[in-house]
Each structure stands twice: as C-alpha cells, then as structure tokens.
C-alpha cells in the first residue's frame, strides 16, 4: 500500500506485525491508518495515497493482503508497530460504531474505543506522531443544536460515552492531537449493510409489495467518507508544515474540529432520495414519527457547527447527497450498465 518509492513487506505472526522497509529513501510523509478495512478507513487510505503519502493501513477481522493485521487492544503489538513504522501521522478510524451492538458488548467496546485509543495516544506522543482521532456527533444529546467544538458533551448512549472517553484519552496523553467529530457516514461500500445510510437501499428495493416503516423522527446529516478523508488530509498537511530541515506541528491545528454534510435528512427522507435518484417507486415507504422502543437511545438532532474548519480554510464543500449516494449504490443495481446510460 505504500507509495513514493518505499516498498514495505509484511511478516505476520500471532498478535503482532513486523514491517521491513526495503528502501532507505522515503519521499513522502508516512501515515498509519487504523480501521483501514472499514468504510472510512478505506477512503482515508485512498485520499492520502493520492496525496503522495506513504500509507500503511491496519485491520483486524477483515485484514487482508495489502493491509496489516493488528489487534489494537494488544499494547505490545501496537508499540512494536509504531516503533518500526515510525509514522508522521496516525489516523485512528477503528471503532465499534454500532450503538445497539455497543450496548450488548460494553466491555469489548471499552477495550477498543477507549483503552486502545489511550494506547495509541501514549505511543503517538512517544514517537512524535500527530494523532488524528475520528469521533462522533453522538457525544451530544441532540437537545440544543447546532453544537460547536466548545459545547459541553452529554452523550445519551454507551457508544457516545465510549467515543467521548476516547477523546479524553487522546487529549490526556497526546495534547497536540486533532479530534475530528463527524456524523453518520456513507461511501463506497462492500455491501449495502456496511453503512446505516446505504442499508436503506434494501428497503427502497422492496418496491410496492409491502409497506415499509422508516424513521422520520431523528434528524441526521449524512456525510460522504470521501469528504471526511479530504478534510483529514487537509488537517494533516496544515498541521505538519515541513520547514527546510525539521518537521514541526502548526500549533493552531490541535484540539477538536467538526465536519458534516449540510443536508438535514431523516432515514425516511434518505430512502425517498435514493428512490428518486434511481427512478424507483417510493410510495411503499411510510414515515414513522415516533421514536422506536427497545434500541439504544439516540439524539434527535446533533447538528455540528463546522465553522472552525471553515475559518481556517480547511473544510471542503460536501457533495450533494443525491449524487454521492448514486455513486455508492449503482454497483448494487440489477443492471450494472445503469451508470453508463444515466450519465450519457
């Protein structure tokens, strides 16, 4: 996965990874991406590769060729990985992000979302790497949006609490780090179930045979992973402006930032937009305006104020939902020629 003339060979052994750099000269800065096999991690890897960075991505359950297997809860393994690769930047995407799963697997979630984040923060501080931690709008309770970076968090569920504790670990152990809070994400998926947004495609495709109830209560701001990845790279490149002989951090790029899509939509509205994008019927989609029982509590509206990024000219213009979701879903249409015909 590395670029700029540096080839990395990977040796696997239980619980750890050894990297051997086969060329001495590395042209670009080095970034380690955790959760590189996941929805956001894949987009982050592509973005940094395109920008000329040397990229190494780690995975766990879905580790595969060109990604490193790494158990982030193994402190010794993480320490070896960072000391051998010596990254300039760590983008920490790995997390358990499914709120209902988190409620069932609280201990495992704390291990990954909190303890492993603390380990990365400690080791990033020791090796001098900039740590960019991906957090969530679920750190807020959704009662008084929009939320700025300095507003007091008050998470409603275990997922939000675990990510907030992860933020605190980052700031405690590596004060020069960057935290980027984002809302619900979608992007290029391996299956439509990979994102809470693209999973709505299954409901859209049910057609008119059965009515389908969809949430029309919780306000969300679906955000394209390509846009988030671009913001990550802009933050990293602004933070690490290399003077002629050393690599120093811009002191204005530290602490908490927000980034979000601008279109406010419920799941019902997202599904209707998908149907319109593909000229499919939507009259079987029924808006449900009551909060569902039996699941982890969610905030009604935790819209993020993204002005800090914008004032520093580090934001990007979010892609319109209709065109972005079309990019994601066309491979899952019955006729794979759809994209060629619709864009001509």
């Amino acid at each position: 996965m590395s670029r700029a003339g540096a080839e990395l060979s990977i040796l696997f052994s239980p619980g750890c990874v050894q990297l051997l750099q086969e060329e001495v000269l590395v042209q670009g800065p080095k970034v380690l991406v955790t959760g590189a096999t996941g929805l956001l991690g894949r987009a982050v890897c592509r973005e940094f590769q395109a920008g000329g960075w040397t990229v190494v991505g780690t995975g766990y359950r879905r580790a595969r060729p060109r990604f490193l297997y790494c158990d982030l809860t193994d402190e010794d393994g993480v320490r070896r990985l960072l000391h051998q690769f010596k990254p300039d930047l760590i983008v920490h995407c790995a997390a358990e992000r499914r709120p209902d799963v988190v409620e069932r697997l609280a201990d495992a979630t704390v291990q990954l979302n909190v303890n492993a984040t603390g380990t990365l923060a400690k080791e990033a501080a020791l090796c001098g790497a900039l740590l960019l931690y991906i957090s969530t709008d679920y750190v807020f309770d959704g009662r008084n949006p929009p939320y700025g970076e300095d507003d007091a968090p008050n998470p409603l569920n275990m997922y939000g609490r675990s990510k907030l504790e992860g933020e605190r670990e980052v700031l405690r152990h590596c004060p020069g780090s960057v935290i980027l809070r984002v809302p619900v994400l979608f992007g290029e998926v391996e299956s439509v179930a990979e994102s809470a947004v693209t999973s709505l495609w299954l409901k859209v495709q049910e057609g008119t045979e059965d009515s389908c109830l969809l949430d029309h209560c919780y306000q969300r701001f679906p955000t394209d992973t390509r846009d988030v990845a671009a913001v990550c790279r802009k933050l990293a490149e602004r933070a690490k402006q290399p003077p002629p002989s050393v690599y120093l951090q811009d002191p204005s790029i530290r602490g908490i930032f927000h980034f979000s899509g601008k279109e406010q939509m419920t799941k019902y509205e997202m599904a209707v937009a998908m149907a319109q994008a593909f000229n499919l019927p939507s009259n079987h989609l029924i808006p449900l305006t009551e909060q569902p029982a039996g699941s982890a509590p969610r905030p009604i509206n935790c819209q993020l104020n993204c002005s800090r990024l914008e004032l520093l000219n580090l934001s990007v213009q979010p892609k319109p939902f209709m065109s972005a979701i079309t990019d994601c879903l066309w491979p899952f249409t019955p006729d794979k020629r759809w994209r060629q015909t619709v864009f001509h």
Side-chain angles (χ1 to χ4, degrees):
M1 214 185 239
S2 54
R3 293 170 57 87
E7 294 296 330
L8 297 175
S9 65
I10 305 164
L11 299 179
F12 294 90
S13 62
C16 69
V17 177
Q18 183 179 7
L19 304 177
L20 299 179
Q21 187 172 302
E22 295 175 346
E23 295 187 20
V24 175
L25 182 62
V26 176
Q27 299 294 331
K30 296 186 288 185
V31 55
L32 179 72
V33 181
T34 72
T37 57
L39 180 68
L40 178 58
R42 296 193 302 267
V44 169
C45 287
R46 286 192 295 267
E47 177 70 24
F48 278 88
Q49 284 178 322
W53 290 63
T54 299
V55 180
V56 163
T58 74
Y60 183 55
R61 292 186 182 88
R62 293 188 288 178
R64 65 197 70 178
R66 299 177 65 83
F67 291 98
L68 305 183
Y69 169 82
C70 184
D71 178 357
L72 293 174
T73 65
D74 175 5
E75 293 187 25
D76 290 337
V78 170
R79 189 175 299 114
R80 284 193 295 270
L81 175 61
L82 266 62
H83 286 205
Q84 290 172 2
F85 182 54
K86 295 181 174 61
D88 300 295
L89 169 70
I90 302 164
V91 183
H92 183 27
C93 301
E96 177 51 71
R97 57 180 174 77
R98 297 165 294 179
D100 295 330
V101 172
V102 168
E103 298 292 330
R104 297 196 309 269
L105 303 176
D107 290 344
T109 294
V110 169
Q111 285 294 317
L112 178 59
N113 290 8
V114 182
N115 298 345
T117 298
T119 298
L120 276 171
K122 293 173 190 174
E123 296 305 319
L126 287 173
C127 71
L130 173 65
L131 175 61
L132 198 166
Y133 172 67
I134 303 298
S135 191
T136 174
D137 58 351
Y138 272 34
V139 299
F140 298 111
D141 59 21
R143 297 187 180 105
N144 190 29
Y147 292 95
E149 290 87 352
D150 295 327
D151 286 329
N154 183 34
L156 298 182
N157 57 34
M158 178 63 188
Y159 168 62
R161 290 193 293 273
S162 72
K163 293 299 287 183
L164 180 60
E165 284 302 311
E167 291 184 10
R168 290 169 175 164
E169 287 291 291
V170 166
L171 296 175
R172 180 182 303 123
H173 297 297
C174 195
S177 297
V178 175
I179 292 167
L180 182 63
R181 292 174 178 153
V182 296
V184 64
L185 301 179
F186 67 95
E188 183 180 308
V189 292
E190 295 178 343
S191 73
V192 293
E194 194 175 8
S195 160
V197 177
T198 53
S199 63
L200 298 171
W201 180 240
L202 300 173
K203 305 295 186 183
V204 173
Q205 288 185 305
E206 288 179 3
T208 57
E209 294 181 4
D210 297 298
S211 295
C212 179
L213 290 170
L214 286 173
D215 169 63
H216 195 45
C217 176
Y218 297 109
Q219 303 297 321
R220 297 292 175 253
F221 293 81
T223 301
D224 192 325
T225 54
R226 293 173 296 183
D227 295 333
V228 177
V231 168
C232 288
R233 182 158 71 93
K234 293 181 77 168
L235 279 165
E237 291 178 349
R238 176 74 66 86
K240 293 285 194 179
Q241 299 274 7
S245 59
V246 293
Y247 206 59
L248 300 175
Q249 182 172 351
D250 181 339
S252 68
I253 310 301
R254 61 169 55 193
I256 300 170
F257 293 85
H258 290 173
F259 178 73
S260 172
K262 297 185 184 299
E263 295 170 85
Q264 180 173 316
M265 311 175 81
T266 63
K267 284 189 174 183
Y268 167 74
E269 289 168 327
M270 293 180 214
V272 169
M274 292 175 193
Q276 292 173 347
F278 290 90
N279 298 315
L280 294 173
S282 62
N283 55 346
H284 65 295
L285 303 173
I286 309 298
L288 179 64
T289 56
E290 298 177 358
Q291 298 181 39
S295 61
R298 267 87 160 163
I300 292 291
N301 182 350
C302 39
Q303 179 182 7
L304 297 174
N305 180 328
C306 306
S307 58
R308 187 181 180 200
L309 274 178
E310 293 162 1
L311 288 170
L312 290 169
N313 197 30
L314 291 172
S315 191
V316 300
Q317 181 62 36
K319 296 176 181 63
F321 180 77
M322 190 84 83
S323 62
I325 200 66
T326 300
D327 288 344
C328 301
L329 292 177
W330 74 263
F332 301 95
T333 57
D335 185 353
K336 301 301 187 296
R337 295 171 298 175
W338 179 90
R339 191 184 194 199
Q340 287 139 354
T341 58
V342 84
F343 285 105
H344 285 315

